[in-house]
Amino acid sequence: MNTIIEEIQKTETIDAMDRPKANALEHEAIYIIREVAAQFERPVLLFSGGKDSITLVRLAQKAFWPAKIPFPLMHIDTGHNFPETLAFRDKLIAEMGVELIVRSVQDSIDQGKVIEESGKYASRNTLQTTTLLDAIEEFKFDACIGGARRDEEKARAKERIFSVRDDFGQWDEKNQRPELFDMLNGEIEIGQNVRVFPISNWTELDVWTYIEKENIEIPSIYFSHPRKTFLRDGLIWSAADDIVFRTEDETVSERRVRFRTVGDMSCTAAVESHADTIEKVVSEIRESKISERGARIDDKRSEAAMERRKQQGYF
């Protein structure tokens, strides 16, 4: 497989020869990322190891090529990440030679700042907020670039591209700046920070199509593979580890599955699939009538679960 640098060189050449056909979404995202670098003093790219944040990394590379990405990446590690995702994260960082900051939810638990959930639907996903806000304060980040998209969940559809958080990290969905004529206003008060969403206007299919076009490597967990699983509430859960709570009557069996999203293991279900290549995944997404967030149990805790988490400082 070609290296990341070779792929960027190739696509830059194609763009130079065929600019009228250039991808409008890509150019919008690159413009936004460059605006972040121009308007803020201490930006960071929030990196989960998932397809959206991997796409952001490629866009950031192209935004500043041939220089390196001028800001660090940061991963808020729940301690319940899929092993395939962590292995890919470390491989990518080693190839890129950029700074990676890792902050752990387990540390927040050990410090008594958050309380570990227990029971059948226990998850560390919501606990990430405290760890994230502490990391933003620790490094004085004034802009956090994230991979959220408006098509994922209705609360995310309310976000601006530059979404201001107050000095407590909170988001007020009723008090947002207009973004007319692509004008992005990064002026903030002391203590505030901005969450930035360069691929806000992309869909899941747009992301996968871009991954296919750019030949971007992604974690193997996104492709069909045999896995020990069990069923709960009509969803398929991984049983290949000791993270996901399982009752005695929840029987384990092997299925061919893949994951459409790779959040915390305890709240991310799989889908049955035979899509073992990017081309097959793109075809499967085109035909799917279910949102990728349909496999995220944390979104189902209440009608407004995501919105409440975002108000408190979630991604």
Side-chain angles (χ1 to χ4, degrees):
M1 179 178 289
N2 289 342
T3 66
I4 292 173
I5 291 176
E6 288 170 339
E7 288 300 322
I8 291 176
Q9 289 174 328
K10 181 175 69 177
T11 53
E12 285 293 316
T13 302
I14 292 171
D15 283 347
M17 293 187 301
D18 200 9
R19 289 194 185 280
K21 296 181 181 178
N23 189 308
L25 289 173
E26 178 189 66
H27 282 260
E28 177 190 51
I30 288 174
Y31 160 70
I32 293 166
I33 292 170
R34 287 173 175 165
E35 282 295 301
V36 171
Q39 295 193 44
F40 296 95
E41 295 183 3
R42 296 187 62 82
V44 65
L45 192 155
L46 302 177
F47 186 78
S48 68
K51 66 184 186 308
D52 297 318
S53 60
I54 293 168
T55 296
L56 281 180
V57 169
R58 171 56 60 85
L59 291 164
Q61 286 179 305
K62 296 183 83 169
F64 303 107
W65 177 261
K68 287 187 177 181
I69 298 174
F71 39 74
L73 278 57
M74 182 166 70
H75 181 209
I76 302 301
D77 185 357
T78 66
H80 291 172
N81 297 102
F82 289 97
E84 297 95 326
T85 306
L86 294 179
F88 180 88
R89 177 200 71 185
D90 295 341
K91 175 176 179 289
L92 180 65
I93 294 301
E95 289 177 352
M96 291 171 50
V98 298
E99 180 185 2
L100 173 68
I101 298 167
V102 179
R103 287 297 177 266
S104 171
V105 171
Q106 184 62 54
D107 289 341
S108 298
I109 295 171
D110 294 343
Q111 294 163 9
K113 294 180 177 180
V114 294
I115 299 174
E116 179 95 71
E117 295 181 1
S118 61
K120 189 174 182 180
Y121 296 104
S123 171
R124 288 186 173 184
N125 201 48
T126 58
L127 307 186
Q128 295 179 81
T129 299
T130 296
T131 311
L132 171 65
L133 295 179
D134 284 349
I136 292 172
E137 176 62 25
E138 176 186 355
F139 293 97
K140 305 301 179 186
F141 291 129
D142 52 4
C144 301
I145 304 170
R149 308 186 321 269
R150 286 177 175 141
D151 74 317
E152 289 181 276
E153 202 276 341
K154 57 189 177 183
R156 285 183 166 168
K158 297 179 180 180
E159 290 270 22
R160 297 292 192 264
I161 290 173
F162 275 19
S163 184
V164 179
R165 300 306 203 263
D166 66 19
D167 52 359
F168 295 102
Q170 297 173 326
W171 172 64
D172 183 355
E173 75 283 3
K174 297 178 181 177
N175 183 24
Q176 298 191 79
R177 299 169 177 172
E179 291 179 339
L180 305 175
F181 312 112
D182 294 329
M183 297 296 291
L184 300 172
N185 180 4
E187 186 174 345
I188 55 175
E189 302 292 336
I190 294 175
Q192 292 181 330
N193 64 82
V194 171
R195 306 292 171 81
V196 181
F197 304 110
I199 60 172
S200 183
N201 290 325
W202 298 40
T203 65
E204 181 189 16
L205 181 58
D206 291 327
V207 170
W208 277 105
T209 302
Y210 189 72
I211 289 170
E212 181 181 25
K213 169 182 170 262
E214 293 282 308
N215 193 26
I216 300 173
E217 186 179 359
I218 58 173
S220 60
I221 199 167
Y222 278 111
F223 300 112
S224 175
H225 59 281
R227 196 177 193 92
K228 292 185 187 222
T229 61
F230 66 95
L231 293 177
R232 176 190 296 156
D233 300 331
L235 298 174
I236 302 170
W237 299 93
S238 174
D241 52 77
D242 297 324
I243 300 299
V244 183
F245 179 89
R246 178 166 50 87
T247 61
E248 293 182 0
D249 61 338
E250 290 175 323
T251 307
V252 174
S253 62
E254 188 172 272
R255 296 176 174 85
R256 286 203 68 85
V257 300
R258 71 177 195 86
F259 290 82
R260 288 177 68 180
T261 177
V262 290
D264 190 283
M265 295 175 71
S266 58
C267 65
T268 307
V271 294
E272 289 195 277
S273 172
H274 291 281
D276 54 4
T277 66
I278 290 179
E279 293 78 12
K280 291 179 182 177
V281 170
V282 170
S283 178
E284 184 177 272
I285 295 300
R286 287 184 190 278
E287 298 174 4
S288 176
K289 306 216 184 306
I290 301 174
S291 164
E292 64 184 303
R293 300 290 298 194
R296 291 291 292 269
I297 196 67
D298 51 326
D299 289 349
K300 303 178 187 299
R301 293 191 173 196
S302 74
E303 185 69 18
M306 172 67 83
E307 185 156 330
R308 278 204 298 271
R309 293 204 306 277
K310 290 181 76 64
Q311 289 168 347
Q312 295 164 359
Y314 186 74
F315 302 120

